Amino acid sequence: MNSKFITFEGGEGVGKSTQIKRLVSKLTKTGVEAVRTREPGGTPRAEAIRSFLLQGKSEQWGPSAEAILFAAARLDHVNSMIKPNLADNKWVLSDRFCDSTRAYQGLTGGVPDELIDALETLALNGATPDLTILIDMDPELAFERVRKRASEDGLNLPPDRYEKENLDWHRRLRRNFLDISRANPDRFVVVDGNQSANAMESDIWDRVKERFSELAA
Ligand code: T5A
């Protein structure tokens, strides 16, 4: 089976990490070799940029500089992790990718389209996802999940760079992700995030099988 590149997108706490793990496990059971990665991050150099960005150290530089940093991390991720695994015939599943830059820094953060387009061309270098799964849900409900996780884990961490934006900002982010999905109907599927993890898993598996008919064989 040819390698595929699948990305998961959406707002904070919508269930991307939970579902990506489940999809890797389902693919593995069908005999597909699948690897999971994330953005920002996925390689040691990109993880170093992740810490800098998410601890808020880049905030004072402004959204355009932050978009450039996300793209720098992505360039290393694409060249050192994503492309080599695809060339090795593995399926690569990434928790966030270029649509996060377009939604967070571009459409919601106000970075002009020209810069976002140029960074995307540069960082992707042809590695466009075969399928993007957008998990869509009300950010207020998603934040409840994030708070529940923090209290269950006994963690009292301060909100990261984007968690601390207000609810209106996150509602705009949600609409912007949906706009991106409508502009790319061949690449995107939109899944309702306001359902149980098991129901979402089965919904996603049906959509993936629909998109890649070789899995149903
Ligand atoms: N960013 C990233 C940019 O601004 N630009 C970019 O270009 C890129 C690549 C990344 C941050 O960087 C920004 C976006 C982000 O702000 P992150 O920590 O990776 O930071 O943030 P998230 O991607 O939002 O990660 P989260 O872990 O917070 O959210 P997930 O992965 O969507 O959610 P998940 O699966 O961890 O679930 C959250 C909680 O809900 C529970 C889980 O058990 C967990 O406790 N849960 C459910 N509960 C009820 N029902 C369900 N269906 C559930 N599914 C999960």
Side-chain angles (χ1 to χ4, degrees), residues 58-71:
S58 56
E59 192 174 356
Q60 55 185 330
W61 298 14
S64 292
E66 289 183 310
I68 292 168
L69 287 168
F70 278 109

Side-chain angles (χ1 to χ4, degrees), residues 20-204:
I20 207 166
K21 284 182 205 146
R22 289 174 179 225
L23 184 55
V24 165
S25 146
K26 276 216 149 44
L27 287 168
T28 306
K29 280 186 196 139
T30 65
V32 168
E33 217 178 324
V35 291
R36 176 164 63 94
T37 186
R38 70 170 182 182
E39 286 214 347
T43 65
R45 283 183 290 265
E47 290 288 335
I49 298 179
R50 176 188 176 95
S51 305
F52 184 76
L53 280 162
L54 297 193
Q55 287 166 13
K57 291 180 185 154
S58 56
E59 192 174 356
Q60 55 185 330
W61 298 14
S64 292
E66 289 183 310
I68 292 168
L69 287 168
F70 278 109
R74 181 161 306 128
L75 182 67
D76 190 60
H77 188 209
V78 165
N79 289 335
S80 313
M81 193 279 169
I82 296 173
K83 283 192 170 181
N85 276 293
L86 291 172
D88 214 13
N89 225 24
K90 293 182 186 142
W91 288 37
V92 178
L93 279 67
S94 184
D95 191 339
R96 298 193 180 279
F97 194 57
C98 58
D99 299 299
S100 281
T101 307
R102 192 170 289 281
Y104 278 78
Q105 284 68 50
L107 297 168
T108 317
V111 176
D113 284 351
E114 298 75 39
L115 179 58
I116 299 290
D117 291 344
L119 291 173
E120 200 168 294
T121 305
L122 180 90
L124 266 59
N125 193 14
T128 305
D130 296 295
L131 172 67
T132 298
I133 296 164
L134 172 61
I135 303 183
D136 172 61
M137 73 181 285
D138 178 348
E140 203 169 357
L141 299 176
F143 274 116
E144 269 171 35
R145 289 181 183 172
V146 172
R147 278 192 290 272
K148 187 163 171 251
R149 175 178 58 191
S151 88
E152 281 169 3
D153 293 350
L155 294 174
N156 195 15
L157 297 172
D160 74 19
R161 167 71 183 87
Y162 296 99
E163 280 170 8
K164 68 181 177 48
E165 296 289 353
N166 67 31
L167 202 50
D168 273 353
W169 193 95
H170 285 282
R171 289 194 175 117
R172 275 193 287 127
L173 177 75
R174 179 190 189 187
R175 287 196 294 276
N176 289 330
F177 266 122
L178 287 169
D179 284 346
I180 297 170
S181 77
R182 283 189 280 266
N184 298 276
D186 294 341
R187 176 163 64 86
F188 269 83
V189 296
V190 181
V191 169
D192 177 11
N194 196 18
Q195 51 182 334
S196 73
N198 285 347
M200 220 191 308
E201 175 184 344
S202 121
D203 194 359
I204 289 172

